Amino acid sequence: MALPVLTPEQRQAALVKATEARQARAALLAQLKSGDLTLADLFKRDDDTAKKIKVSQALRALSGIGPTKAAALMERAGVDDKRRIGGLGVQQRRKLVEAVSS
């Protein structure tokens, strides 16, 4: 399937939109890191910004959780390493929140 040919204006608009989305995700991760937002609160959000954050990124943003511990938590909860928050099931969310809270 060929990519659509975009005009320079369309290309610029797409770049701006992508930049805004990345900045919004970074702001949510910063709130998670500072403690202003909990993992449970992040999971409850229903906007596209939160849904598109990778679970591993969200876990690593929490204090005391690095790549190894995040991978172990995800494995115990049955979450694939490429999964995004929007793709998590209810039980997976519950298991991750419980693991982080304890």
Side-chain angles (χ1 to χ4, degrees):
M1 181 171 150
L3 293 175
V5 178
L6 300 177
T7 65
E9 294 83 19
Q10 290 172 324
R11 187 180 318 270
Q12 185 61 35
L15 287 172
V16 168
K17 185 177 177 183
T19 300
E20 289 171 354
R22 280 192 301 273
Q23 289 173 343
R25 286 193 301 272
L28 274 178
L29 290 172
Q31 287 180 341
L32 196 60
K33 186 175 189 113
S34 69
D36 295 338
L37 184 69
T38 65
L39 189 63
D41 292 338
L42 181 63
F43 287 165
K44 290 177 189 173
R45 291 179 61 115
D46 195 33
D47 57 302
D48 283 341
T49 303
K51 288 180 179 180
K52 292 186 178 181
I53 294 175
K54 286 189 176 185
V55 177
S56 59
Q57 281 183 313
L59 290 174
R60 287 192 318 255
L62 296 170
S63 178
I65 298 180
T68 305
K69 190 169 184 181
L73 290 171
M74 289 175 61
E75 186 176 327
R76 271 190 263 139
V79 179
D80 185 54
D81 61 336
K82 292 182 178 21
R83 179 74 59 195
R84 295 182 186 271
I85 290 175
L88 289 177
V90 175
Q91 295 299 324
Q92 290 172 324
R93 291 173 190 244
R94 183 186 55 77
K95 287 178 184 178
L96 287 171
V97 170
E98 287 176 358
V100 170
S101 300
S102 59

